[in-house]
Amino acid sequence: MNKIKRREILTRLRDANPHPTTELNFSSPFELLIAVILSAQATDVGVNKATDKLFPVANTPEAMHKLGLDGLKDYIKTIGLFNSKAKNVLETCRILMTEYNSVVPENREALEALPGVGRKTANVVLNTAFGWPTIAVDTHIYRVSNRTKFAMGKTVEKVEEKLLKVVPAEFKVDVHHWLILHGRYTCIARKPRCGSCIIEDLCEFKDKVD
């Protein structure tokens, strides 16, 4: 995969979706942070069903912390791993209140120190809430990057490192969303929809299907 191919791939993805964003519902950095914590090993659709009821009741660290463990669990019990996620969310709310004046910090180290927040979650928040040119590599991005040979790596960290190196600056803020959506709806895991793929002729996957 060379620079010309990569630029054309990104140009096509941008032309098809000029203003991409996450499919998680949120209206503030705090809501996004909580939604992303809840989304681990869960679908965005499932998270949205829960947060569409949770956020109107509690959309600040104070209000969410006030729900308590049982109260919060009632809202998120349909999401996988809800017991541990509820504990992480409440502790995150406590830390935000006591250490950050209830404001989500625009700082990688501070975000990654919050319970339930790893590098991927921090990248999503920094990118989507604050516009940083970060790339959060999930299973979709890992698959698309390796399958197309756009940015190959044996670990998510290696793929992130490669993407940050090869993606031109003008595409960096949005590439995270384009690749996720492409992996979610077109370059799916079991049988990629190559016949309806807008980058099929540029993709270097050897086992393309109709």
Side-chain angles (χ1 to χ4, degrees):
M1 180 69 64
N2 58 40
K3 287 182 182 178
I4 296 171
K5 269 190 180 181
R6 287 194 184 97
R7 178 171 283 278
E8 180 59 24
I9 286 172
L10 294 170
T11 299
R12 289 186 194 179
L13 293 174
R14 179 176 63 187
D15 289 348
N17 187 4
H19 305 291
T21 189
T22 178
E23 292 189 314
L24 290 169
N25 295 337
F26 76 99
S27 59
S28 69
F30 174 71
E31 288 187 1
L32 177 65
L33 173 63
I34 299 305
V36 180
I37 291 173
L38 295 176
S39 73
Q41 298 180 49
T43 66
D44 287 1
V45 172
V47 172
N48 287 339
K49 282 182 181 177
T51 57
D52 284 351
K53 294 177 181 177
L54 171 63
F55 289 157
V57 175
N59 66 349
T60 64
E62 290 85 355
M64 198 163 289
H65 195 265
K66 200 171 182 179
L67 288 175
L69 200 55
D70 291 337
L72 179 56
K73 284 181 183 180
D74 279 342
Y75 285 99
I76 67 170
K77 60 189 175 185
T78 56
I79 300 172
L81 308 174
F82 73 92
N83 283 307
S84 59
K85 288 177 181 177
K87 291 176 184 176
N88 285 338
V89 165
L90 288 185
E91 180 60 9
T92 286
C93 289
R94 186 194 68 77
I95 293 170
L96 290 176
M97 288 188 299
T98 57
E99 296 184 24
Y100 299 104
N101 199 28
S102 295
V103 175
V104 175
E106 190 179 341
N107 177 283
R108 178 183 297 284
E109 287 185 4
L111 286 170
E112 289 187 23
L114 296 171
V117 178
R119 183 175 180 83
K120 185 179 78 172
T121 297
N123 275 336
V124 172
V125 173
L126 291 170
N127 174 270
T128 306
F130 300 116
W132 283 32
T134 58
I135 303 173
V137 178
D138 69 348
T139 55
H140 296 300
I141 293 181
Y142 180 80
R143 180 177 64 255
V144 171
S145 297
N146 277 293
R147 184 184 272 168
T148 62
K149 295 186 170 52
F150 187 97
M152 299 177 73
K154 290 186 177 180
T155 65
V156 292
E157 291 81 11
K158 289 295 183 185
V159 170
E160 179 187 338
E161 189 180 309
K162 187 70 182 287
L163 285 168
L164 288 169
K165 186 177 179 181
V166 302
V167 173
E170 67 183 281
F171 299 104
K172 265 191 184 137
V173 171
D174 292 325
V175 68
H176 156 84
H177 299 298
W178 290 324
L179 294 180
I180 282 181
L181 294 171
H182 194 67
R184 189 172 286 168
Y185 297 111
T186 303
C187 197
I188 56 180
R190 290 189 180 178
K191 189 179 180 183
R193 296 169 178 149
C194 300
S196 61
C197 176
I198 62 172
I199 62 168
E200 182 186 7
D201 58 313
L202 301 167
C203 169
E204 295 184 5
F205 182 46
K206 291 180 180 178
D207 302 314
K208 291 177 185 171
V209 295
D210 293 333

